[in-house]
Amino acid sequence: MSNAAKRQTSTLDKVLRVVLYAALLAMAAVYLAPFIVMLLTSLKDVEEIRSGTLLSLPGSLNFDAWSKAWSGACTGSQCEGMAPYFLNSFQIVLPAVAISTLLGALNGYVISHWKFKGSDVFFAALLVGCFIPFQVILLPMARTLGWLGIANTTTGLVMVHVVYGVAFTTLFFRNFYQSIPVELVKAARLDGAGFFTIFYRIILPVSTPIIVVTVIWQFTQIWNDFLFGVAFSGFDTQPVTVALNNLVNTSFGGKEYNVDMAAAIIAALPTLVVYILAGKYFVRGLTAGAVKG
């Protein structure tokens, strides 16, 4: 190839790269626009919101809406602040994610490397569980929680999310463990290693990618859940999504859009942080077990 052709090709590559980056930036701006509007609105006072436009910059930074959204004020039995419900969500999410991830890892390990009679049927049943709509299980789950005496409690919500999430976590781990050579497990058995020894010494050390995927998936699903939260929680055990709904739909006097927007950002912050810090590992983990060998 001549030097002129090489220069022409290089110029074309640069142009295409510029066009690609411009398109990506435009799409990012479109996706970020709602968040930018929310952030700008949360930093304005009510009068400035009414007199300005959605994308107008605040005249001065005003964090009163953030303070009110977080701390709020209690009137009778109603509390406007998000703080206690924010803590409730963590008390639900952390144990639910840990338990469902552990159960999913054990189930995936058994189904992929400790075949038993009916294991395929068991896995098929778990797959069916992935496609059951939330609404279908509301009544039977409510009756079960009442029978166990944990209705309207944090423990009850943890159980609901573990039961519903274990099908997804099992699917993730089973697909990942299929890529681990069977010979490795068989060799460990010949050396006298038992079920839990193999799981702890061999399987878990290579499971970091899929554990990250499962934790991100479960954390996001449970934190953003509204239906189970509003159906199975009591007033003192409501997650942050239910509290956000109550705050937005309850107002005294004029509507305070700045407080609503601040509360929405507060409710979304944990999932944003998780994806910002671990988003790249999510994609890596999903593709780690895609090819066997």
Side-chain angles (χ1 to χ4, degrees):
M1 183 181 293
S2 64
N3 292 333
K6 289 181 179 180
R7 286 195 297 269
Q8 186 177 3
T9 302
S10 177
T11 303
L12 180 60
D13 289 341
K14 290 179 181 179
V15 171
L16 290 175
R17 189 176 301 173
V18 170
V19 172
L20 176 61
Y21 283 134
L24 291 174
L25 287 173
M27 287 186 286
V30 170
Y31 278 103
L32 287 173
F35 179 77
I36 294 173
V37 170
M38 292 170 61
L39 182 61
L40 292 176
T41 304
S42 69
L43 297 174
K44 301 174 184 176
D45 57 36
V46 176
E47 291 302 323
E48 194 174 3
I49 293 172
R50 291 172 180 169
S51 60
T53 61
L54 286 176
L55 293 175
S56 63
L57 296 176
S60 60
L61 296 182
N62 187 344
F63 293 96
D64 291 343
W66 286 77
S67 177
K68 187 171 183 179
W70 178 253
S71 302
C74 296
T75 305
S77 61
Q78 294 292 325
C79 261
E80 296 179 30
M82 301 282 288
Y85 309 107
F86 198 83
L87 180 60
N88 286 345
S89 284
F90 273 111
Q91 291 177 339
I92 296 167
V93 168
L94 296 182
V97 169
I99 296 171
S100 61
T101 300
L102 178 60
L103 291 177
L106 286 170
N107 287 340
Y109 168 52
V110 170
I111 293 173
S112 57
H113 291 287
W114 293 77
K115 292 286 186 179
F116 58 92
K117 186 175 182 180
S119 60
D120 292 335
V121 176
F122 174 71
F123 181 62
L126 286 175
L127 284 180
V128 172
C130 294
F131 299 99
I132 296 177
F134 285 15
Q135 295 83 352
V136 173
I137 68 171
L138 288 181
L139 183 57
M141 185 64 75
R143 292 175 65 88
T144 302
L145 294 178
W147 177 68
L148 293 174
I150 53 176
N152 300 328
T153 64
T154 299
T155 303
L157 279 170
V158 170
M159 175 183 169
V160 170
H161 287 296
V162 168
V163 169
Y164 202 86
V166 73
F168 293 95
T169 59
T170 299
L171 175 62
F172 290 155
F173 279 101
R174 182 263 183 188
N175 290 342
F176 182 82
Y177 290 156
Q178 287 289 98
S179 65
I180 298 177
V182 177
E183 292 77 13
L184 189 63
V185 177
K186 289 182 177 179
R189 290 186 190 178
L190 290 176
D191 289 339
F195 177 88
F196 288 105
T197 301
I198 296 174
F199 179 70
Y200 181 73
R201 297 287 186 180
I202 299 176
I203 301 298
L204 274 186
V206 300
S207 301
T208 301
I210 199 62
I211 289 175
V212 172
V213 170
T214 305
V215 168
I216 294 175
W217 174 272
Q218 280 294 88
F219 185 94
T220 305
Q221 294 298 311
I222 298 172
W223 186 275
N224 291 335
D225 169 69
F226 175 78
L227 184 61
F228 288 160
V230 75
F232 301 129
S233 66
F235 175 74
D236 294 331
T237 58
Q238 291 176 348
V240 70
T241 49
V242 178
L244 176 61
N245 176 74
N246 295 340
L247 175 65
V248 171
N249 292 301
T250 303
S251 60
F252 301 95
K255 186 67 174 173
E256 295 179 308
Y257 293 103
N258 52 351
V259 177
D260 294 346
M261 295 301 175
I265 295 175
I266 289 172
L269 275 178
T271 51
L272 288 174
V273 171
V274 166
Y275 269 107
I276 290 172
L277 296 180
K280 61 181 179 181
Y281 302 108
F282 184 79
V283 177
R284 291 180 187 175
L286 283 178
T287 58
V291 179
K292 187 173 182 179

